[in-house]
Amino acid sequence: MEHLWQDLRYALRTFAKQPTFALTAILTLALGIGANTAIFGVVNSVLLRPLPFPEPHELALLWGRYPDFGRTSTSAPDFRDWREGVAAFEHLSAFTQGSINLAGGGEPEQVRGARVTANFFQTLGVAPALGRTFVDGEDREGAADVVVIGDGLWRRRFAADPAMVGRTITINDRPFTVAGVMPPGFTSAGEDELWIPLDVEDPGYPRRGEFLTVVGRLRPGATLAQAQSQLDAVVGRLARQYPETNASIQGEVVSMQDDLVREARPALLIFTGAVALVLLIACANVANLLLARASARQREVAVRLALGASRGRLVRQLLTESVLLAVIGAGAGLILAAWALDALRASGTTFVPRLAEVRIDWMVTGYALALAVGTGILFGLAPAVRLVSAYGLPAALKEGARGATAGGLRLRNALVLGEAALAIVLLAGAGLLLRSFVRLNQVDMGFDPRGILTYELILPTARYPDEATLVPVIDRLVERTRGIPGVNAVAVSSDLPLESTNYLTFDLEGRVETTDGTGDVQPFRVTPEHFAVLGIPLRSGRLLAESDDASAPAVAVVNEELVRRFLGGQDPIGRRIQVSDGADSAATIVGVVGNVAQEGVSAAPYAQVYQPMAQGPTRGVRVAIRTAGEPLAIANQARAALAAVDPQLPLTKLRTMEDRLAGSLTQPRVSMAVLGVFALLALVLAAIGIYGVLSYAIARRTREIGIRIALGAQPGDVRRLVIGQGMRPVAGGVLLGVGGALLLTRLMQGLLYGVSPSDPGTLAGVALLLGAVALFATWLPARRATRVDALEALRAE
Amino acid sequence: MNPLIRLRGVEKRVPAGGAYHYLLRQVDLEVDRGEFVTVMGPSGAGKSTLLAILGLLDADWTGEYHLDGEAMHGLAPKRRQALARERIGIVFQQYHLLDDLTVAENLDIPLSYRNVKSSERAALVADTLDRFGIVAKKDLYPRQLSGGQQQLVGVARALIGRPAILLADEPTGNLHSSQAREIMEMFRRINGEGTTIVQVSHSAENAAYGNRVIELKDGWVVSGGVSARAGMQ
Ligand SMILES: Nc1ncnc2c1ncn2[C@@H]1O[C@H](COP(=O)(O)OP(=O)(O)OP(=O)(O)O)[C@@H](O)[C@H]1O
Ligand SMILES: [Mg+2]
């Protein structure tokens, strides 16, 4: 302990004497440890920390699965059969999420909520903070309308009213009695803020109307595997019993935790690997710095050894220095990590779940400290041992540095080789993501997002109680907005492309039963110019027209995918279609339009139906304005147009269509940005490493270069010599790195789109990039070498 | 005919605390083809400084220097370096062999910086090894040789490009007297074959191998700056 204290004081004094060395090392380590800490913070919250429910490992989600299409939600009849047949679950509940119109206690607003079976809260095992949750049978037809609300909604809208239980609030135009308030921090999937009962016993639900997410709690002692095999048995029985609807549906049981992070896990694991590589490069650089310093410290070490210090004691002292460096670096790294996490949150990415919970807590701090001690030993040990053991004592006391450090140079070259290899791997990863991202941006989405201004609006029940009042206000808004100079077309719709999460079952005249996907469509309510605004092409028949109003016969336009999948390509014009959205009558199909991308730009097309807004207006609407010039230039006029129609209507999310789209590209964009930052870091660190090693090598070779110049070497010869020496380990590193990249990039297959993990263009590109940067890093020392004064160098003996 | 080397009023000075410190003053000097001259003088007299100027390693001086009739003062660095490569070989007191290269590779260095074809280079190296009797040592590293052998390699390396002039700064300064004699014998032989030699030496014994002594003191040429023959004209 006494020794440690002494060593620490001595170490601090050494740093103060060589502030440049200490700062460079600390900054390098701060970058490496900071990146690792930030990613660990995310991984810890997202992948490692259990869900905020009691016994979270007992919770599982159950999904249907079509062999060619992937997982789907479940229909009510299937859910009922699963509940009967899968005994491994103590509770099996179902819910469906959506937007809910809320009135009472303030201005009407739209909140996210879920309809849940009565045993939903029991399944999750969470008790309310106030009142009660639902009781058995409360979800059945005829029971009183009750609602459970979340802590956030309770505080925000109802001022944390302690007498909340028993109050009446209006949900979707019906009065509901508040049964309970959930504790802070409780949320079902997503940001749900209120829960109302869902009756799954209603015999009217069709077998192929999938809208339920099923969550179960295992009996004590039961396993997921048991649940899976029981589900397989039930699903098999249903397939035999209902071959026309259930023949190709399988079932899947997934632990809730795994399910939540399903999308984020591969990216997070890749990030974890990437930051580990960055840290290794940082360590190599600091080891290089220490080696350079080691030559300057030989004499000190030799004197200490001569005065009787043991080698072990000296190594300990040197390691104290390097660990101290790393700990200071970790301190700075924690600050960088906090910044990085803020930036990640600010990016608004949603593909990493529970991002809001991520913070620098004691776990993360402890991780950073442990990392510091580990890396301090990792980068400090080799230089320390070399320093203490490599030099014969008498020689070190008598002689200068030369000769003795030849081995040091070999070690340093090996470090450069390693750095180059690691940098190539990271660059390859980032390069592949970049190419994927470019490809994704080039995907034909079926509409043209350029030159469109959009915003969102809710038409509250209080002001517009029914369809008779909704339709005129929408009409007036369209008319007003179209009057703005520079506006070419205006559409009001229930949803814009890539944003709808609405899927409904439907009936279609002459429908062909299919097995290659779900039986759902995506329904849209739109005003006639929707197709013009978005540039969705007409394939046959006609588009919707102004004359398709409430007094005209109901009409619909469908997309090509619907015709292909549900009509086997037969002519759809004139057929009747009825979407189960509460509309009373079936609509006649009058036209076919192109497919529009939905659910992420790279997903397969989905069947879509467009019906006139005038024949069934929605309260939550999106306004899309096609402009001749820059869309944001008319933002104020668009606001004014709305205010002229109704000054009380607040408008939200005013932005261009392209900005909205950026949202659906966040996962690839964030992945690319994160890995890109790490790769850039690696590149810079590697360049610094190459530069450092070469500068040191040049200093050591001054005499040799002087001799060569005296013997006739010209500047070009000297440059070639130095650059050759510098690039040799880099070339080795590039080869090794390309090999490593070929092995490792395969792990990121799932993050890539339209590019092979072993894409030769990307690999060649990153090899060239690193080569160019390395060449630049060698260029400066090479130029310095050509300026060696031969006379000076030869005299210096 | 012009002397091979002709210096007139050459001065070399370095800044020293606001003023100048003169290392060479008003040096007039001539060396004819085929001569073997020895520069002598006390330590700090400027002998090495003079040799560096003669060897075109140093261009920072004033005065006139004609090498084989061509003016070296105000010459472009490229041309100066080219002339140095072509005409001059240098032997150092500390040998200055490259530690990581073998004897043969050390001999090859000057050739690699001249326009010599690689086939010719190998032949020239083999020739030179033979001429200096060090064929058996060609694959050894400098540290495996004695001081005398190392200097022999140093001389061989200075001569491999067939320069007209050999400059040697205390070539035997680090050697025992028997080894020194060997080197001096070698110099005499080379001089006999036509190479002009300018050496710096403290030893009268070494100077006796040459035909003339130039005496330097505090940067001034005290005696012997011009050859006997030149003086007679
Ligand atoms: N670049 C320089 N800057 C300042 N002083 C120098 C420089 N080069 C040489 N000197 C000084 O000039 C003087 C002459 O140096 P030089 O090396 O030519 O002497 P020398 O005659 O070769 O002596 P020695 O017999 O010791 O080798 C010495 O005092 C030396 O310290
Ligand atoms: Mg000297």
Side-chain angles (χ1 to χ4, degrees), chain A residues 792 795, chain B residues 12 14-15 21 23 41-50 93 169-170 200 202:
Chain A
E792 201 74 50
R795 206 178 6 236
Chain B
K12 162 91 184 169
V14 289
H21 173 54
L23 307 187
S43 186
K47 307 181 292 290
S48 296
T49 307
L50 176 62
Q93 177 177 350
D169 195 346
E170 299 188 44
V200 170
H202 284 293

Side-chain angles (χ1 to χ4, degrees), chain A residues 376-461:
Chain A
I377 292 172
L378 177 67
F379 69 70
L381 198 57
V385 168
R386 160 164 293 281
L387 189 52
V388 169
S389 62
Y391 314 113
L393 229 186
L397 278 174
K398 271 204 307 261
E399 253 249 65
R402 195 162 46 81
T405 50
L409 191 60
R410 225 171 297 128
L411 185 56
R412 299 167 132 245
N413 277 336
L415 287 173
V416 166
L417 187 142
E419 285 185 36
L422 295 174
I424 284 281
V425 171
L426 278 173
L427 286 169
L432 289 170
L433 287 180
L434 179 66
R435 288 193 81 143
S436 300
F437 187 69
V438 170
R439 287 286 165 82
L440 278 174
N441 273 316
Q442 291 167 341
V443 168
D444 179 12
M445 295 178 288
F447 67 97
D448 181 3
R450 288 167 300 181
I452 301 175
L453 185 70
T454 69
Y455 64 82
E456 299 181 10
L457 194 62
I458 289 174
L459 303 166
T461 328

Side-chain angles (χ1 to χ4, degrees), chain A residues 125-430:
Chain A
V126 182
L130 288 179
R132 59 173 181 83
T133 55
F134 303 130
V135 295
D136 263 1
E138 209 158 25
D139 53 2
R140 297 305 313 276
E141 180 78 45
D145 282 337
V146 287
V147 58
V148 171
I149 67 172
D151 180 75
L153 183 65
W154 177 53
R155 289 178 194 282
R156 188 177 78 239
R157 192 177 173 95
F158 304 105
D161 178 4
M164 195 67 216
V165 175
R167 264 179 76 170
T168 299
I169 60 179
T170 306
I171 292 167
N172 294 340
D173 299 336
R174 269 176 33 206
F176 277 70
T177 307
V178 176
V181 179
M182 294 308 287
F186 174 84
T187 172
S188 44
E191 284 108 46
D192 294 340
E193 292 195 296
L194 62 76
W195 297 269
I196 53 180
L198 164 73
D199 180 13
V200 290
E201 313 301 333
D202 184 340
Y205 283 119
R207 274 271 163 207
R208 284 287 53 83
E210 296 105 338
F211 69 108
L212 293 175
T213 306
V214 178
V215 52
R217 180 175 285 277
L218 291 168
R219 286 182 197 289
T223 65
L224 287 175
Q226 286 166 356
Q228 179 69 58
S229 67
Q230 289 168 0
L231 181 62
D232 288 345
V234 176
V235 164
R237 185 164 50 74
L238 291 176
R240 285 189 300 279
Q241 206 169 341
Y242 308 104
E244 66 289 4
T245 52
N246 285 50
S248 62
I249 303 179
Q250 295 155 4
E252 187 177 290
V253 180
V254 196
S255 110
M256 194 166 174
Q257 172 100 22
D258 289 351
D259 194 85
L260 185 65
V261 299
R262 187 172 50 106
E263 263 186 70
R265 166 177 278 136
L268 288 180
L269 292 182
I270 300 270
F271 294 167
T272 306
V275 287
L277 298 190
V278 170
L279 187 59
L280 278 179
I281 296 179
C283 282
N285 268 5
V286 178
N288 263 333
L289 282 174
L290 286 176
L291 280 171
R293 223 165 55 115
S295 6
R297 291 183 78 176
Q298 280 172 68
R299 200 171 302 268
E300 176 205 326
V301 167
V303 171
R304 282 173 184 277
L305 284 174
L307 294 179
S310 77
R311 281 165 203 270
R313 171 92 183 74
L314 274 180
V315 168
R316 214 161 60 226
Q317 185 200 318
L318 294 166
L319 281 185
T320 305
E321 282 184 38
S322 53
V323 170
L324 184 64
L325 274 179
V327 169
I328 299 174
L334 276 169
I335 298 173
L336 290 181
W339 280 347
L341 289 178
D342 280 348
L344 192 62
R345 268 193 293 265
S347 75
T349 181
T350 50
F351 92 94
V352 180
R354 305 170 76 186
L355 199 54
E357 296 174 37
V358 176
R359 53 187 46 87
I360 308 276
D361 53 14
W362 63 266
M363 259 297 263
V364 176
T365 310
Y367 177 80
L369 273 180
L371 208 57
V373 173
T375 53
I377 292 172
L378 177 67
F379 69 70
L381 198 57
V385 168
R386 160 164 293 281
L387 189 52
V388 169
S389 62
Y391 314 113
L393 229 186
L397 278 174
K398 271 204 307 261
E399 253 249 65
R402 195 162 46 81
T405 50
L409 191 60
R410 225 171 297 128
L411 185 56
R412 299 167 132 245
N413 277 336
L415 287 173
V416 166
L417 187 142
E419 285 185 36
L422 295 174
I424 284 281
V425 171
L426 278 173
L427 286 169

Side-chain angles (χ1 to χ4, degrees), chain B residues 11-227:
Chain B
E11 301 218 318
K12 162 91 184 169
R13 62 185 195 184
V14 289
Y20 286 111
H21 173 54
Y22 281 84
L23 307 187
L24 290 177
R25 309 238 35 178
Q26 291 299 327
V27 172
D28 292 349
L29 188 94
E30 287 178 7
V31 178
D32 283 326
R33 276 174 202 77
E35 275 204 277
F36 180 172
V37 302
T38 307
V39 180
M40 298 188 81
S43 186
K47 307 181 292 290
S48 296
T49 307
L50 176 62
L51 216 62
I53 291 172
L54 293 181
L56 301 174
L57 289 176
D58 187 353
D60 181 22
W61 42 268
T62 58
E64 297 180 3
Y65 172 9
H66 287 92
L67 178 61
D68 207 1
E70 189 176 346
M72 297 295 109
H73 38 279
L75 200 62
K78 267 209 148 51
R79 174 77 187 135
R80 179 166 54 80
Q81 285 155 12
L83 276 176
R85 269 200 304 280
E86 217 174 284
R87 305 273 171 85
I88 296 164
I90 299 182
V91 176
F92 306 94
Q93 177 177 350
Q94 302 86 351
Y95 329 132
H96 283 325
L97 301 180
L98 295 190
D99 305 333
D100 299 335
L101 302 185
T102 63
V103 166
E105 288 166 342
N106 263 290
L107 291 186
D108 188 50
I109 300 172
L111 300 178
S112 72
Y113 297 134
R114 289 163 172 79
N115 284 326
V116 185
K117 279 197 267 8
S118 58
S119 55
E120 249 174 82
R121 265 158 65 174
L124 261 175
V125 169
D127 258 12
T128 308
L129 287 167
D130 191 34
R131 190 148 73 97
F132 288 83
I134 45 177
V135 177
K137 310 265 185 285
K138 73 178 173 51
D139 291 325
L140 297 184
Y141 288 91
R143 62 177 173 281
Q144 297 169 301
L145 303 178
S146 73
Q149 289 166 333
Q150 289 192 45
Q151 191 57 301
L152 211 56
V153 176
V155 174
R157 188 178 64 178
L159 290 172
I160 195 164
R162 303 198 179 282
I165 305 167
L166 181 71
L167 302 179
D169 195 346
E170 299 188 44
T172 62
N174 284 7
L175 299 180
H176 301 303
S177 54
S178 63
Q179 293 173 324
R181 266 197 298 282
E182 220 175 300
I183 297 293
M184 282 303 113
E185 288 298 338
M186 177 63 69
F187 273 25
R188 174 146 54 201
R189 212 179 85 201
I190 295 159
N191 182 241
E193 289 163 8
T195 307
T196 306
I197 296 178
V198 179
Q199 71 168 352
V200 170
S201 184
H202 284 293
S203 126
E205 196 183 333
N206 282 358
Y209 284 87
N211 64 304
R212 170 156 67 107
V213 169
I214 298 170
E215 185 122 21
L216 271 182
K217 200 173 177 194
D218 294 335
W220 297 88
V221 175
V222 189
S223 68
V226 179
S227 75

